[in-house]
Amino acid sequence: MTQSFPEEVLEHVFSFLTSHTDRNAVSLVSKSWYDTERWCRDHVFIGNCYAVNPRVLTRRFKEVKAVELKGKPHFADFNLVPEGWGGCVDPWIVEMGRVYSGLEEIRLKRMEVTDEGLEMVAKGFGKLKVLVLASCDGFSTDGLAAVAANCRNLRVLDLRECEVEELSCHWLSHFPDSFTLLESLNIACLSSEVSFSALERLVSRSPNLKTLKLNRTVPLEKLSTLLQRAPQLVEFGTGAYSAEGLDAYSSLAEAFSGCKKLKSLSGFWDVIPAYLPAVYSVCSQLTSLNLSYATTQSPDLSKIISHCHNLQRLVVLDYIEDTGLETVATSCKDLKELVVFPSDPYVADANVPLTEQGLVSVSQGCTKLHSVLYFCRQMSNSALVSISKNRPNITCFRLCILEPRSPDYLTLEPLDTGFGSIVENCKQLTRLSMSGLLTDRVFEYIGKHAKKLDMLSIAFAGDTDLGLHYILSGCDSLRKLEIRDCPFGDKALLANASKLETMRSLWMSSCFVSFGACKLLGQKMPRLNVEVIDERENLNSIPENVPVEKVYIYRTVCGQRFDMPDFVRIMGKDKADVYNLS
Amino acid sequence: MDGRYSRKEEMHPQLLDLNHMITDERNWFAKKDDHNLGDEKKLELRLGPPGVEDWSVTDAHKNYKSSQKASHKRSAPAPVVGWPPIRSFRKNIASSSSKQAPVSDSQNAIVSNNEKMVKNCQKGFFVKINMNGVPIGRKVDLNAYDTYEKLSVAVDQLFRGLLAAQNDTSGVRINGNHEHEKPITGLLDGNGEYTLVYEDNEGDRMLVGDVPWHMFVSSVKRLRVIKSSEISNISRLGNKQEKSKV
């Protein structure tokens, strides 16, 4: 079939498509579109590093400038994935180093990154501008030193929520004195001191610095120095926000008032309330405020928030209490995203008056609210119904009631109708995390109504396999499903096997999925990897009808992994089960 | 390349319309098996819905359901792995900093150092160790030793073979042939060809062996095996210059 458009025209049209889902869709239209698209795609997103492999990437795309890779499943954030599972980025770096000499941006999430890998990055990608490591581990400050010393074009070094082995405080000094391009530096996750003089010199010679997120060890007394050197900052994260006496106050307040472009504040470990007013001059500019380390009481939190009329994103601890959230509802009319973390998650009784009422208030007062992550100790169906009716525009709703299987505290019934109301009224819902007492009925509602749902997280919920069946057969847009401690077994999984190929991944831990079912699924579905993650001894002698500890199922074009530890098996790919090849 | 396909076409032919079955009174029950074999009927594994006979309520499931009812009432939370779903750095926020009380920076540093030390002791405290002339480094678990002597022996074991391989110019290495491997001795007393040094938490290079063992462990960041002849060079150039090279 001859093509109606010349390739150059097609390429030009494609250049307007920036989202990877659009690019993927376009590549499926025809062989010629596929070929044209692959030659001109320069930003590649790989949501599961084991869905493909490095050679598949470099064979298909030839001139990549930006790559984004994700490794471990989301529940790794909560220690459900044993250490050593995988997701190491080194093989990717080796292969990309071979082919993509012009690589400018690397973004990794939940991957294992080694110092050797960082050294390869530093020496292999001379044009590297952006390095974002989110929730990664496996590397030390030595690797960072290599990056600092060699990446002459670096603009962004963002270590968000990484676990770094901190061997030396001097890695920052490895940025050469001639290096002046830095735009963004996030070291908030480091727990040890960094050399302040090196930091100060780096900030002083970086006129384009827009984002600076310090770690806890940078003392408050030094903040004004840094802010004076970088009044152009847009995002700033403080260190420990406390000092002895109030001597540092006036210079700090003055320094903040000089930051005319500041839009985002975070940090605030160990807050001394007397120092909070130092930020008042910038509050009305703020669109994002993260006080989730600030262990101050509600009145102090409310005071600062009441100044933030343009706030779009708020992250706080439950110290804000229902009264503080009422202040949010009246003061922050542009609020889009609310996150409330628990201050004392392991204590049974509430010691802070934060209830479902706080969330209801915000849902009433903040008409633009679309994303919620809320930890609390009690919930009712009526509150959930109200929230869903107040805010049908919610797209992300994550509710964690701290005690598993908590019923509606007013009626002692399951929270099925409440969550059912959420999925029925919030028609654009793409992400949902549920908690509390839930029966199969809630899954019936979800399967029936949540047609745009992309990611679903379930814990301690449901009665029978029917629950899982409703989800897998009803949620048309579902791509990521993660389940723990639910009585779901083999039947729903096997009956919906083909659905799994339309999803990125399914995680099930502490459920009733048996070894035999995993093997069968792996045998019947060649394009799925059915990974059983099980740390028990003598796995070979456990009968097939016994449930596995954890199973992680994902679609892949590559089949076998070759880097599995002994507690990971990919089931059903050989005549017998596939065991670790060591 | 596959285009998007209709889900119905991909369904296996033996899948029945499940909806009318669901409206029956029957429910799907999972069998809760731990390592309990008994005379369980083998689970019929096929890519289709369960037959009528699989839907009966078993005793195991009845027990599970009643234990569910019992846990409906509010009880003290037992520690569950990964619950509530918050990242580890968000735990203990209430206990690790006191509300509204002024906390000095030195207190913070002590607290965080102590936490780190406890963490090190619990996990196995691995530090990097490099040897001049050997391109590959090793890691050593300092928690596994309690004297400098034992550490010195360990260093010899770690590097003896690697050093021999480096010095072996014939290019032929027979596995298990340890004839050419010279033990690495005198690391601590200055008498050997090599000396053990370390970098401490202030970035300074120090000779191993001067302070009590526990003090060494609390301040060591990494180890190095250097030629004893280089020691005089280092002291001439001064510590500052060496810091950036480590």
Side-chain angles (χ1 to χ4, degrees):
Chain A
M1 182 179 107
T2 51
Q3 182 171 273
S4 26
F5 289 126
E7 222 175 88
E8 298 80 39
V9 175
L10 264 186
E11 267 192 39
H12 183 68
V13 171
F14 291 168
S15 68
F16 293 98
L17 299 173
T18 45
S19 100
H20 61 270
T21 38
D22 286 343
R23 282 264 175 177
N24 289 344
V26 136
S27 72
L28 294 176
V29 166
S30 70
K31 185 120 192 1
S32 56
W33 279 42
Y34 172 85
D35 281 332
T36 305
E37 196 281 322
R38 69 180 264 256
W39 283 101
C40 66
R41 188 185 311 206
D42 59 9
H43 279 56
V44 179
F45 170 80
I46 296 171
N48 173 8
C49 64
Y50 290 118
V52 289
N53 67 33
R55 282 290 284 146
V56 170
L57 169 67
T58 56
R59 264 202 314 258
R60 180 170 172 186
F61 300 113
K62 291 304 173 187
E63 277 192 32
V64 173
K65 292 227 172 61
V67 83
E68 185 175 348
L69 269 170
K70 296 189 181 180
K72 298 178 209 171
H74 173 235
F75 275 176
D77 284 355
F78 318 126
N79 302 320
L80 287 180
V81 177
E83 210 171 303
W85 171 82
C88 184
V89 77
D90 289 5
W92 292 88
I93 296 175
V94 169
E95 178 63 10
M96 292 193 300
R98 199 178 64 77
V99 179
Y100 301 144
S101 53
L103 194 64
E104 293 180 4
E105 301 180 13
I106 297 176
R107 292 178 172 82
L108 305 177
K109 188 167 187 181
R110 285 192 209 100
M111 294 203 78
E112 192 199 319
V113 181
T114 65
D115 284 343
E116 292 70 29
L118 285 176
E119 276 164 37
M120 279 193 279
V121 165
K123 294 182 179 151
F125 300 117
K127 295 195 179 163
L128 193 72
K129 291 185 179 155
V130 172
L131 183 61
V132 176
L133 304 177
S135 305
C136 295
D137 63 2
F139 60 102
S140 77
T141 44
D142 287 355
L144 296 178
V147 169
N150 294 287
C151 296
R152 297 297 150 101
N153 283 299
L154 199 66
R155 283 17 173 198
V156 174
L157 180 61
D158 185 343
L159 311 172
R160 56 180 83 148
E161 303 184 354
C162 288
E163 267 185 47
V164 183
E165 195 188 347
E166 297 175 58
L167 301 174
S168 157
C169 63
H170 296 287
W171 64 273
L172 269 181
S173 330
H174 288 247
F175 282 112
D177 290 337
S178 54
F179 173 71
T180 59
L181 298 172
L182 199 63
E183 293 174 16
S184 170
L185 180 66
N186 177 1
I187 55 169
C189 63
L190 299 182
S191 51
S192 301
E193 275 187 43
V194 286
S195 155
F196 183 79
S197 55
L199 178 63
E200 193 185 350
R201 276 179 286 127
L202 181 61
V203 169
S204 304
R205 65 179 189 273
S206 303
N208 297 325
L209 193 67
K210 305 266 182 323
T211 298
L212 178 63
K213 295 188 180 173
L214 306 170
N215 73 341
R216 191 175 185 170
T217 64
V218 177
L220 181 142
E221 292 90 339
K222 301 256 168 81
L223 291 185
S224 46
T225 319
L226 286 175
L227 289 174
Q228 275 153 19
R229 304 250 187 280
Q232 75 283 1
L233 282 178
V234 175
E235 295 182 318
F236 182 61
T238 75
Y241 203 69
S242 59
E244 292 199 23
L246 283 177
D247 294 336
Y249 181 87
S250 51
S251 49
L252 184 61
E254 202 181 315
F256 269 118
S257 64
C259 296
K260 304 291 185 200
K261 301 198 178 161
L262 200 58
K263 287 223 156 70
S264 162
L265 273 180
S266 57
F268 296 109
W269 286 274
D270 316 313
V271 169
I272 299 280
Y275 272 98
L276 277 176
V279 307
Y280 281 1
S281 58
V282 294
C283 280
S284 59
Q285 300 162 206
L286 293 181
T287 56
S288 170
L289 180 60
N290 186 334
L291 290 167
S292 62
Y293 295 104
T295 51
T296 36
Q297 303 276 39
S298 179
D300 297 306
L301 294 173
S302 299
K303 243 198 274 172
I304 177 176
I305 287 170
S306 63
H307 285 73
C308 300
H309 302 292
N310 290 307
L311 207 60
Q312 294 176 19
R313 179 171 191 264
L314 176 64
V315 186
V316 276
L317 289 172
D318 55 9
Y319 289 137
I320 193 166
E321 300 177 13
D322 288 341
T323 48
L325 288 176
E326 274 166 37
T327 308
V328 172
T330 48
S331 307
C332 308
K333 289 306 189 186
D334 277 350
L335 195 73
K336 294 184 179 160
E337 185 181 348
L338 175 69
V339 175
V340 180
F341 284 118
S343 53
D344 223 342
Y346 304 109
V347 165
D349 294 316
N351 51 2
V352 272
L354 178 112
T355 68
E356 80 283 6
Q357 190 47 50
L359 184 56
V360 173
S361 308
V362 176
S363 75
Q364 272 162 353
C366 302
T367 58
K368 299 188 188 169
L369 184 74
H370 71 77
S371 175
V372 172
L373 170 56
Y374 199 76
F375 285 79
C376 60
R377 285 182 164 81
Q378 65 185 45
M379 187 50 63
S380 66
N381 282 310
S382 53
L384 286 171
V385 171
S386 301
I387 292 165
S388 71
K389 291 193 169 148
N390 291 337
R391 292 277 62 76
N393 50 324
I394 286 181
T395 55
C396 170
F397 190 74
R398 297 194 277 163
L399 178 69
C400 180
I401 307 164
L402 289 172
E403 173 71 23
R405 302 193 187 93
S406 299
D408 177 326
Y409 77 100
L410 295 168
T411 66
L412 295 185
E413 293 195 341
L415 291 170
D416 298 339
T417 37
F419 279 104
S421 184
I422 293 278
V423 293
E424 198 176 340
N425 291 326
C426 305
K427 300 197 197 309
Q428 303 304 314
L429 194 70
T430 52
R431 185 166 179 186
L432 177 65
S433 298
M434 305 192 294
S435 54
L437 182 64
L438 298 164
T439 73
D440 284 348
R441 194 129 49 85
V442 75
F443 300 114
E444 191 182 355
Y445 298 148
I446 294 175
K448 186 167 166 203
H449 294 289
K451 294 305 181 186
K452 298 251 172 96
L453 194 64
D454 173 281
M455 181 170 180
L456 177 61
S457 311
I458 310 171
F460 306 102
D463 304 312
T464 74
D465 269 48
L466 210 42
L468 180 56
H469 172 68
Y470 285 134
I471 300 290
L472 290 176
S473 56
C475 296
D476 298 335
S477 309
L478 193 65
R479 284 183 322 115
K480 291 175 278 182
L481 179 58
E482 45 186 26
I483 302 172
R484 62 162 298 175
D485 293 275
C486 295
F488 300 147
D490 302 336
K491 300 183 182 83
L493 201 58
L494 296 175
N496 292 281
S498 50
K499 168 73 173 178
L500 299 177
E501 266 187 15
T502 69
M503 295 166 54
R504 181 188 294 174
S505 65
L506 165 62
W507 168 280
M508 292 179 73
S509 56
S510 306
C511 298
F512 297 150
V513 180
S514 70
F515 278 96
C518 291
K519 189 160 90 173
L520 183 64
L521 194 60
Q523 282 166 352
K524 297 288 185 191
M525 308 294 291
R527 288 185 296 199
L528 290 182
N529 272 359
V530 181
E531 275 193 26
V532 166
I533 300 166
D534 202 311
E535 292 175 284
R536 285 177 287 195
E537 296 189 1
N538 300 320
L539 272 188
N540 306 338
S541 47
I542 295 184
E544 293 211 328
N545 59 354
V546 168
V548 302
E549 281 181 356
K550 302 167 188 179
V551 61
Y552 180 50
I553 303 169
Y554 52 89
R555 67 181 174 188
T556 176
V557 297
C558 292
Q560 211 39 271
R561 269 176 66 177
F562 295 103
D563 60 349
M564 295 182 289
D566 55 15
F567 54 82
V568 175
R569 289 143 196 261
I570 294 188
M571 307 294 280
K573 294 303 180 211
D574 281 354
K575 292 242 155 63
D577 277 335
V578 179
Y579 298 126
N580 191 17
L581 292 173
S582 59
Chain B
M1 290 289 277
D2 284 334
R4 293 255 164 93
Y5 48 82
S6 141
R7 210 153 287 120
K8 283 210 162 70
E9 285 155 27
E10 281 290 314
M11 274 182 169
H12 291 264
Q14 64 262 41
L15 277 177
L16 307 171
D17 175 16
L18 296 157
N19 287 323
H20 86 267
M21 284 184 165
I22 289 161
T23 53
D24 283 358
E25 284 295 303
R26 314 199 195 271
N27 290 305
W28 294 10
F29 293 114
K31 292 185 177 151
K32 185 181 180 187
D33 277 333
D34 279 336
H35 297 269
N36 164 31
L37 306 178
D39 260 326
E40 299 283 1
K41 183 161 70 100
K42 259 175 83 175
L43 193 63
E44 283 181 41
L45 299 169
R46 51 177 184 203
L47 292 173
V52 166
E53 64 279 7
D54 290 339
W55 292 345
S56 55
V57 185
T58 64
D59 284 331
H61 187 82
K62 271 194 205 148
N63 289 340
Y64 177 76
K65 280 219 93 154
S66 56
S67 75
Q68 291 297 82
K69 289 205 165 68
S71 69
H72 288 183
K73 70 177 193 295
R74 208 63 85 76
S75 51
V80 177
V81 173
W83 190 266
I86 50 177
R87 304 288 305 275
S88 13
F89 52 78
R90 290 204 177 278
K91 297 177 183 177
N92 304 319
I93 286 189
S95 45
S96 72
S97 37
S98 46
K99 278 198 261 182
Q100 293 181 328
V103 180
S104 74
D105 290 334
S106 54
Q107 273 182 19
N108 271 343
I110 291 170
V111 165
S112 63
N113 266 339
N114 282 341
E115 282 169 8
K116 273 198 90 143
M117 274 175 59
V118 168
K119 206 168 89 152
N120 288 338
C121 292
Q122 285 166 351
K123 276 210 297 198
F125 179 36
F126 286 92
V127 296
K128 282 189 184 177
I129 174 166
N130 288 82
M131 181 163 185
N132 281 8
V134 179
I136 293 276
R138 305 294 305 261
K139 272 201 168 171
V140 60
D141 178 5
L142 290 178
N143 279 348
Y145 314 106
D146 52 13
T147 65
Y148 289 117
E149 258 311 302
K150 292 184 186 168
L151 174 62
S152 174
V153 167
V155 172
D156 171 40
Q157 286 167 352
L158 282 174
F159 281 108
R160 198 197 283 193
L162 290 174
L163 193 60
Q166 274 304 110
N167 296 334
D168 179 10
T169 52
S170 66
V172 173
R173 186 136 197 274
I174 302 155
N175 275 339
N177 175 9
H178 297 289
E179 272 176 25
H180 301 289
E181 290 177 15
K182 224 173 52 166
I184 305 170
T185 56
L187 284 167
L188 302 171
D189 53 20
N191 290 334
E193 195 186 340
Y194 294 94
T195 298
L196 193 57
V197 301
Y198 72 102
E199 185 182 311
D200 71 3
N201 52 5
E202 291 176 339
D204 296 323
R205 241 195 214 187
M206 315 289 287
L207 273 178
V208 164
D210 287 335
V211 299
W213 173 260
H214 68 272
M215 205 184 283
F216 161 71
V217 173
S218 70
S219 63
V220 62
K221 291 298 169 201
R222 67 183 300 167
L223 288 159
R224 240 184 198 288
V225 183
I226 61 173
K227 281 243 157 98
S228 303
S229 50
E230 278 188 38
I231 294 180
S232 47
N233 287 342
I234 292 170
S235 41
R236 253 190 280 125
L237 292 171
N239 274 329
K240 285 217 166 86
Q241 206 152 342
E242 283 304 306
K243 264 186 219 172
S244 54
K245 286 190 192 152
V246 168

